[in-house]
Amino acid sequence: MADAHPRYDMEMSVTWGDCDAAGISYYARTFDWFTNARMGLLAHYGLPYMKEWHQRDIALVCLHADCRYKKMIRPEERIVVRAELAELSRSRMAFTYLVLQEDGVVAAEGQTKHAYVDGRGAPFNLERRQPELWARLAEAGLIQRGKYPGTANRQTGVEDAHG
């Protein structure tokens, strides 16, 4: 069995503020839930966004976001938003998400892809510019050599183009 990607489950109750006038979760709120679960994942692994990324002048700029809605979610419903690190390279991160209803049924699924960008908006190689943070990602078990594109096998040097 393959090792699971690092993940984090964020439990929450859907509020009326998360819903439209029909009492169904508003589609755009799902992306807020994805963001909160992604931030929870980073914090869970000892790398809270504001302290370890933002204060180092690193933004995780979203390059792509999508969501497929499968079931309606109503106010006061208990859900789990699961964030999973799907890719980590020297230049970007990608996450997948599931929104699970209380009975485990998938209500929505999505993904986001992010680039490391500095305060001027320039993308950069995280391992070169922030070697201490890169080492902390490895110590936290988030860098899994050969598992993600852009994490080269150090012996062969073979690497994905996104590295």
Side-chain angles (χ1 to χ4, degrees):
M1 184 167 91
D3 294 337
H5 289 180
R7 75 177 197 197
Y8 175 77
D9 286 355
M10 180 186 77
E11 297 180 17
M12 62 173 279
S13 289
V14 177
T15 68
W16 277 98
D18 293 324
C19 297
D20 60 20
I24 301 167
S25 64
Y26 180 60
Y27 76 95
R29 293 295 289 165
T30 309
F31 292 99
D32 293 333
W33 301 342
F34 289 175
T35 297
N36 293 339
R38 181 174 63 252
M39 296 301 141
L41 184 148
L42 292 172
H44 177 76
Y45 285 92
L47 297 155
Y49 183 76
M50 289 304 289
K51 179 180 177 190
E52 300 298 337
W53 302 83
H54 187 76
Q55 291 177 6
R56 294 175 191 247
D57 198 28
I58 304 168
L60 295 177
V61 174
C62 190
L63 303 173
H64 173 88
D66 68 52
C67 183
R68 182 172 176 188
Y69 303 92
K70 297 177 168 232
K71 299 284 181 186
M72 290 187 291
I73 301 172
R74 303 271 186 191
E76 301 178 10
E77 209 175 314
R78 297 283 305 156
I79 61 172
V80 170
V81 182
R82 176 171 295 155
E84 186 171 300
L85 181 62
E87 175 187 342
L88 189 148
S89 73
R90 291 170 186 87
S91 63
R92 62 187 63 182
M93 296 176 105
F95 298 85
T96 58
Y97 308 91
L98 291 176
V99 177
L100 303 166
Q101 293 177 306
E102 209 164 19
D103 58 4
V105 171
V106 175
E109 58 187 11
Q111 65 175 332
T112 59
K113 297 178 182 181
H114 308 264
Y116 312 121
V117 176
D118 64 22
R120 297 180 326 249
F124 62 87
N125 179 313
L126 185 66
E127 183 179 26
R128 284 190 195 130
R129 187 168 301 173
Q130 295 283 341
E132 179 186 308
L133 180 57
W134 187 259
R136 295 210 35 233
L137 287 163
E139 288 168 15
L142 299 179
I143 297 174
Q144 299 176 19
R145 297 280 176 218
K147 183 159 189 145
Y148 304 122
T151 54
N153 178 316
R154 293 290 183 193
Q155 293 176 345
T156 65
V158 175
E159 180 177 326
D160 179 77
H162 298 300

